Amino acid sequence: MELTILMPCLNEEATLGTCIMKALNTIKINNLDAEILVSDNGSTDNSIKIAEQLGARVISVEEKGYGSALRSGIENARGKFIIMADSDDSYDFNDFYKFVLKLREGDDLVMGNRFLGGIEKNAMPFLHKYLGNPVLSTIGKVFFKVKIGDFHCGFRGFNRQSMLDIQLSTTGMEFASEMVVKSSLNNHKISEISIKLYQDGRSRSPHLQTWNDGWRHLRFLLLYCPAWLFLYPGIFFSTVGMVVSIILLPQPFHLGFITFDVHTMLYSSFLILTGFQMISFYCFSTIYANRKQQKYASPGIFGLYTSYSLERALIVGVVIIGFGIILSIYAISQWTDRSFGDLSPSRMLRIIIPSITLLMLGIQVIFNSFFASMLRINR
């Protein structure tokens, strides 16, 4: 069988029949070897009865969630290609044949783009149209270097085996992002076509929860791109912290009527330590991904896995601690010269803050190195 039309369903009796009839019409017009598969996620209305009466095959999925319904549908589909779309009549199933043509050309994933094809009035909530979808799609394009303008379009086609190979696993609405991200990371051929979004025909409230599902999408994008989650922010924090510390090390810095002194230096020290720890987390995630053979978006520091040496890292940590100890001894000598009396807080903190920062940084290097080595242990 060449094609499966997959419709996730949860109480869609008002529109499911219309979607199936449109799909059957397109199948007949184009003489396709196809089936219609309804992946039901616990409907309590007449959805299942309607689907069976119209000749669709129905599977019941107990695990709740949009992603769960689609994953089960993909696993149970009989077609080489799958066209999926929501069964709320917001997409026109008369248009699915153009997805088939792209799949026949060898594409692994063909995405619909509602922003190119048009969005009917009131078909998409204001926040989704002007904030949620554009922002998350832009983040996805930047993080994963994929030229898709609508990450969350529910109308898409794909090669069934290609999706099985990348082992999709999420259960909720973030499944839409997972399919694009993992396809990109596995070098699948991805394209997009313009489709129109219509106002749905449902009488109930939508299943999509704006803020909760938006966060799930963002969380997924961040977790699969540890460079943007850890590395780049860590480099930024560390760089800002070091620059500010260097400026303030000899004396206070005056900017107009504002004076930056040792109090600011404390915060710059915090940025250095925080930034270093974030960079360390990136290294941990890189080593873990390499060992588990998992694919994440990365600027290519996987060489760390082979070049890393616990002994070298320990030497670096000890050297950093050594510099911290030298500064501490110098600070104590200054106090000794004053017969352990009162000292200038501003002057002494310019020695003590870098000293403590180096001591903490060296300790972090040592223990993070041991943790990295534990991640590399083969059982």
Side-chain angles (χ1 to χ4, degrees), residues 256-314:
F257 61 90
I258 302 174
T259 299
F260 297 96
D261 205 340
V262 289
H263 315 87
T264 306
M265 201 173 185
L266 276 172
Y267 285 100
S268 67
S269 173
F270 164 78
L271 288 177
I272 293 172
L273 296 171
T274 300
F276 173 78
Q277 197 59 49
M278 294 177 75
I279 294 171
S280 297
F281 284 149
Y282 170 76
C283 294
F284 299 153
S285 66
T286 300
I287 294 171
Y288 176 84
N290 188 284
R291 180 180 174 186
K292 296 294 184 180
Q293 296 183 336
Q294 295 186 10
K295 294 180 181 291
Y296 295 104
S298 168
I301 310 185
F302 281 108
L304 173 73
Y305 185 77
T306 55
S307 63
Y308 168 81
S309 165
L310 173 61
E311 289 72 24
R312 293 194 197 102
L314 291 178

Side-chain angles (χ1 to χ4, degrees), residues 81-98:
F81 304 131
I82 298 177
I83 308 295
M84 59 166 264
D86 300 336
S87 51
D88 59 4
D89 203 26
S90 57
Y91 300 109
D92 190 350
F93 279 90
N94 288 315
D95 292 339
F96 78 73
Y97 187 62
K98 53 187 178 182

Side-chain angles (χ1 to χ4, degrees), residues 13-186:
E13 63 178 2
T15 54
L16 181 60
T18 300
C19 293
I20 293 175
M21 291 299 293
K22 289 180 179 180
L24 288 171
N25 180 62
T26 303
I27 291 172
K28 182 178 180 181
I29 290 174
N30 295 282
N31 193 27
L32 297 170
D33 179 20
E35 66 166 347
I36 296 176
L37 176 62
V38 175
S39 185
D40 187 77
N41 204 206
S43 294
T44 56
D45 60 5
N46 293 314
S47 296
I48 296 177
K49 182 179 180 181
I50 292 171
E52 292 176 339
Q53 287 178 343
L54 292 174
R57 184 161 65 95
V58 179
I59 60 170
S60 296
V61 182
E62 293 185 4
E63 184 180 20
K64 294 298 182 181
Y66 178 75
S68 299
L70 287 171
R71 278 193 296 108
S72 294
I74 294 170
E75 291 167 1
N76 286 275
R78 296 168 180 166
K80 175 183 178 182
F81 304 131
I82 298 177
I83 308 295
M84 59 166 264
D86 300 336
S87 51
D88 59 4
D89 203 26
S90 57
Y91 300 109
D92 190 350
F93 279 90
N94 288 315
D95 292 339
F96 78 73
Y97 187 62
K98 53 187 178 182
F99 287 91
V100 177
L101 295 177
K102 294 291 291 183
L103 292 169
R104 285 174 176 172
E105 292 175 3
D107 292 1
D108 295 293
L109 174 62
V110 184
M111 295 290 299
N113 190 319
R114 298 165 291 184
F115 297 97
L116 292 178
I119 300 173
E120 193 175 71
K121 185 178 180 181
N122 299 323
M124 184 183 292
F126 179 87
L127 280 176
H128 297 188
K129 185 175 181 179
Y130 296 105
L131 180 63
N133 276 302
V135 170
L136 290 173
S137 293
T138 298
I139 290 174
K141 287 192 290 185
V142 172
F143 282 15
F144 303 99
K145 298 179 175 61
V146 56
K147 297 179 180 179
I148 295 298
D150 188 0
F151 259 57
H152 310 109
C153 181
F155 201 0
R156 57 184 73 181
F158 46 88
N159 184 297
R160 176 177 178 270
Q161 190 58 51
S162 295
M163 293 304 114
L164 292 175
D165 289 344
I166 60 178
Q167 300 180 349
L168 302 170
S169 60
T170 53
T171 60
M173 291 292 182
E174 69 274 19
F175 183 86
S177 293
E178 181 185 19
M179 185 180 289
V180 180
V181 168
K182 285 190 174 180
S183 292
S184 174
L185 294 176
N186 285 274

Side-chain angles (χ1 to χ4, degrees), residues 313-360:
L314 291 178
I315 291 172
V316 171
V318 170
V319 169
I320 293 174
I321 290 175
F323 280 112
I325 292 174
I326 290 172
L327 283 178
S328 298
I329 293 172
Y330 177 68
I332 294 172
S333 69
Q334 294 295 304
W335 190 28
T336 304
D337 291 343
R338 290 295 186 95
S339 300
F340 302 103
D342 292 338
L343 296 170
S344 168
S346 178
R347 180 171 179 273
M348 291 306 300
L349 284 174
R350 281 186 167 76
I351 304 173
I352 293 172
I353 292 175
S355 171
I356 293 175
T357 302
L358 289 170
L359 291 171
M360 294 179 67

